Amino acid sequence: MRSLTDLQKLIETGMNNFELSGRPSELYDPIRYMIQLGGKRLRPVLVLMSHELFGGDPEKVLQPALGIEIFHNFTLLHDDIMDKAPLRRSKPTVHEKWNTDIAILSGDTMFVQACQFMMNVDATFVSPVLSLFLKTAIEVCEGQQLDMNFERQENVSHEEYIEMIGLKTAVLLGCSLSIGAICANASKNDIDHIYQFGKKLGIAFQLHDDILDVYANADKFGKQIGGDIIANKKTFLFISTLEQAKQDQLAEFKRWISMKEFNVEEKVKAVITIFDSLNIRLQAEQKMNEFFSDAMQHLEQINVPAEKKQLLIEFAEKLMVRES
């Protein structure tokens, strides 16, 4: 089994060799910029890890793995537009560096490129791989729309929130792992379990991201601390606070979220104080751990020797203790 570092290097080399020449430059320069912002390449690595778990050669699924990474970056580019985010990985977002129209069109091109990469698998697996990928792409869009709906929806339940992040974030991890398994000709039962492992892990990952948005070290996080608070995003922490805050706390919380103009630092500090008084961070961590535990149970059910699962176990554990 190759190490996580080796697999990340394989992905990075593939991304560096991604052909981005072409005219007009205004279309391709933003794509190159977005790709070169880097990241940990977690999702494409999952394709390689899953393929190797079931006895395959990771290099044989490098193309669909790159397609997953390009698609992921496409979603980030468009999310940044919708969120009006100024920074991505501590750098100006594409729509800030160029403009919104260019960012939309470059993102559309990235999606088409992702589909092209996804088709570069053994002919036997083109149909199931592409079908799963396109289904996942639609689900990611559904999740994003639900997220935007929540901005106008006064009351959002924890169940609705979990459904949303399951679609917006988690299904892509499940898809990545499943593509690797499909291309290794794994059994349907194992493909189902590896998918659920990825989806449950993805939900835990997003809950952790919600926590980091509030409590991370700003120098390591790479994004604006408290961005969800500033934007009144209905995260698990936000929903829990609305449900549990008592009279004075609830009035104070609603006052901050209703303000049209405010001092950013004051709002973030005030809302975090309310979170802390209700132990909201601990509750979010408990929910995160529940989904992580569910994910590991699915991994246990996969019919391969335990030692072959060790790399995925280590990967999942590192995901839950990250600071960025």
Side-chain angles (χ1 to χ4, degrees), residues 166-184:
L167 292 167
K168 182 176 177 177
T169 300
V171 293
L172 188 55
L173 273 71
C175 174
S176 301
L177 287 158
S178 294
I179 286 173
I182 290 169
C183 292

Side-chain angles (χ1 to χ4, degrees), residues 214-250:
V214 177
Y215 292 103
N217 182 315
D219 294 333
K220 296 180 180 179
F221 192 44
K223 292 189 291 184
Q224 186 177 35
I225 291 294
D228 291 344
I229 292 173
I230 296 164
N232 293 335
K233 294 281 278 188
K234 293 184 176 70
T235 64
F236 187 91
L237 292 82
F238 182 106
I239 295 164
S240 298
T241 301
L242 274 182
E243 286 188 354
Q244 299 172 33
K246 302 305 180 187
Q247 294 174 335
D248 291 346
Q249 292 171 320
L250 185 60

